[in-house]
Amino acid sequence: MAKKIEVVAKTVDEAIEEALQKLGIDLEDADVEIVEEGNKGVLGIFGAKGAKVIVTENIPDSRKLRSYLLSIFKALDITPRLDIRDDGETISADITGDNVGCLIGHHGDTLQAVNYIANLIINKDKETFKRVKIDVENYRKAREDYLTALAKRTADRVARYKRSISLDAMPASERRIIHFALQNHKVVTTISRGDEPNRYVVVLTKTEAAQIEAKEAAKAAKEAEFRAKEQEAEEE
């Protein structure tokens, strides 16, 4: 829920100003509802009634994202160009300029972290999730093209030699690119193995995947049967 506050003061203007100060925002970032305009009463004493307003914080997502990214730029002492677009469902930020490689990191690790925190900031107190997509010098598109090509090359090798291949560990967003690239392949399929942050994708034939699935199902059935027998023994 967005932050809101109800304030009573002598005048509407005073009530609004007090509410803005308590919320720590400017008028342009607020929605104001005047509940009661108030009155001075007789001789300014008898029957006087204060003004009542409800002020709700309403900072645009684009301004939140810009403020967050500019704070990072300042900390890193860089001055890149920043272009932000918001279509309602996704808010995108494109960063370009000199010395911006520090925002990408090894295999995009830094960019992933920056994007993750931005998601938390933008979606705080929201009922409907909004996707945040930050890119630096078109890195995401280049990385997606590289991973898609890697997936296809790996699939060709697996299909030819009938042996599974495990790729290097990568974040969930990059694993999804591999899975998507091969989801309609006639011979091979993909599965994820391991635990974060070392989770990785295995490319294997559909025949091998079916065999693994059958073995895991049989193992799970045996474990369930064993637990059932243990429970029966405890109840006797």
Side-chain angles (χ1 to χ4, degrees):
M1 296 290 291
K3 291 190 291 185
K4 66 168 58 178
I5 189 172
E6 181 180 295
V7 173
V8 177
K10 289 182 179 180
T11 67
V12 169
D13 287 343
E14 290 179 1
I16 293 174
E17 183 62 29
E18 182 180 340
L20 293 175
Q21 289 180 0
K22 288 183 176 180
L23 289 174
I25 59 176
D26 297 323
L27 182 58
E28 61 184 355
D29 296 328
D31 292 332
V32 178
E33 177 186 352
I34 300 175
V35 181
E36 296 177 0
E37 295 190 358
N39 60 72
K40 295 181 179 180
V42 180
L43 301 178
I45 301 175
F46 303 105
K49 193 173 184 180
K52 181 189 293 186
V53 302
I54 297 176
V55 177
T56 304
E57 181 183 76
N58 187 17
I59 302 175
D61 290 336
S62 58
R63 188 172 301 169
K64 290 181 183 178
L65 184 57
R66 183 175 296 276
S67 177
Y68 163 63
L69 292 174
L70 289 179
S71 70
I72 295 177
F73 299 163
K74 183 177 180 180
L76 295 174
D77 194 25
I78 57 176
T79 55
R81 291 179 294 278
L82 176 61
D83 179 31
I84 296 178
R85 302 177 306 282
D86 188 348
D87 64 11
E89 295 182 356
T90 301
I91 181 167
S92 303
D94 291 325
I95 302 169
T96 56
D98 298 328
N99 303 316
V100 293
C102 57
L103 292 170
I104 298 174
H106 179 65
H107 285 178
D109 288 347
T110 302
L111 181 56
Q112 290 285 345
V114 169
N115 208 123
Y116 175 76
I117 296 174
N119 259 306
L120 296 180
I121 293 172
I122 297 301
N123 287 290
K124 183 181 179 181
D125 300 324
K126 282 187 183 297
E127 295 182 358
T128 303
F129 181 81
K130 176 180 284 189
R131 185 185 179 202
V132 180
K133 184 179 180 181
I134 301 173
D135 202 358
V136 178
E137 288 288 354
N138 208 31
Y139 169 83
R140 287 188 182 277
K141 180 62 169 61
R143 182 67 174 168
E144 181 177 345
D145 290 345
Y146 166 78
L147 291 172
T148 299
L150 172 64
K152 292 179 179 179
R153 289 197 307 270
T154 305
D156 289 343
R157 290 176 59 193
V158 171
R160 175 178 295 181
Y161 299 110
K162 302 296 187 293
R163 297 186 63 180
S164 63
I165 296 177
S166 298
L167 302 179
D168 291 337
M170 59 185 71
S173 59
E174 295 191 349
R175 295 197 302 271
R176 282 194 292 270
I177 294 173
I178 301 293
H179 293 312
F180 181 78
L182 301 179
Q183 65 179 352
N184 295 321
H185 199 283
K186 294 181 179 180
V187 179
V188 310
T189 187
T190 57
I191 56 176
S192 290
R193 293 294 194 199
D195 300 317
E196 300 290 3
N198 299 313
R199 196 161 172 79
Y200 58 94
V201 174
V202 179
V203 183
L204 67 171
T205 64
K206 291 183 176 180
T207 300
E208 184 180 356
Q211 292 172 348
I212 292 175
E213 185 177 352
K215 288 180 180 179
E216 291 180 346
K219 181 180 178 182
K222 286 183 178 180
E223 290 177 350
E225 182 181 356
F226 178 75
R227 287 194 297 269
K229 289 181 178 179
E230 278 191 326
Q231 186 174 357
E232 288 178 0
E234 290 176 356
E235 293 175 352
E236 290 179 354

